Amino acid sequence: MSIVKKPVVSEKMTDLTEKLNRYAFVVDLKANKVQIKNEIEKLYDVKVHSVKTMICIGKTRVRGTKSGMIKGKTSKYKKAIIKLNEGETIDIYSNI
């Protein structure tokens, strides 16, 4: 099973990519920084400078329907922010 699940594509991450050469990925909850670094280097053939991780907790959501209010919760996930060495880039859109 792969450690890296998907890249995070948002306005904030696009800005960080352009300015600071950082990329974000949703990763497995049990993965550590060394495993994430090795997986990114193997998948994208780049050299990783640093890895920062954070666990994003699930939020409760409520929506109104004809039959009443339905409560739910989003799942928690782990996000890794990868900083690459100078001159290295990742083309996230090449696999589409």
Side-chain angles (χ1 to χ4, degrees), residues 7 25 39-46 89-92 95:
F25 296 92
E39 182 82 12
I40 294 291
E41 287 180 347
K42 186 174 75 174
L43 280 175
Y44 295 103
D45 195 31
V46 293
T89 58
I90 294 176
D91 189 11
I92 294 174
N95 296 339

Side-chain angles (χ1 to χ4, degrees), residues 44-94:
Y44 295 103
D45 195 31
V46 293
K47 291 293 181 188
V48 176
H49 182 267
S50 65
V51 178
K52 294 181 180 181
T53 60
M54 62 189 86
I55 294 178
C56 303
I57 58 172
K59 300 175 185 175
T60 55
R61 301 285 188 202
V62 180
R63 66 174 196 244
T65 62
K66 288 181 182 178
S67 60
M69 301 299 277
I70 296 176
K71 293 183 181 180
K73 188 172 182 179
T74 59
S75 59
K76 74 176 184 176
Y77 60 94
K78 188 173 196 175
K79 185 164 55 171
I81 297 180
I82 311 297
K83 183 176 182 183
L84 300 180
N85 287 340
E86 288 290 326
E88 301 273 348
T89 58
I90 294 176
D91 189 11
I92 294 174
Y93 301 108
S94 65

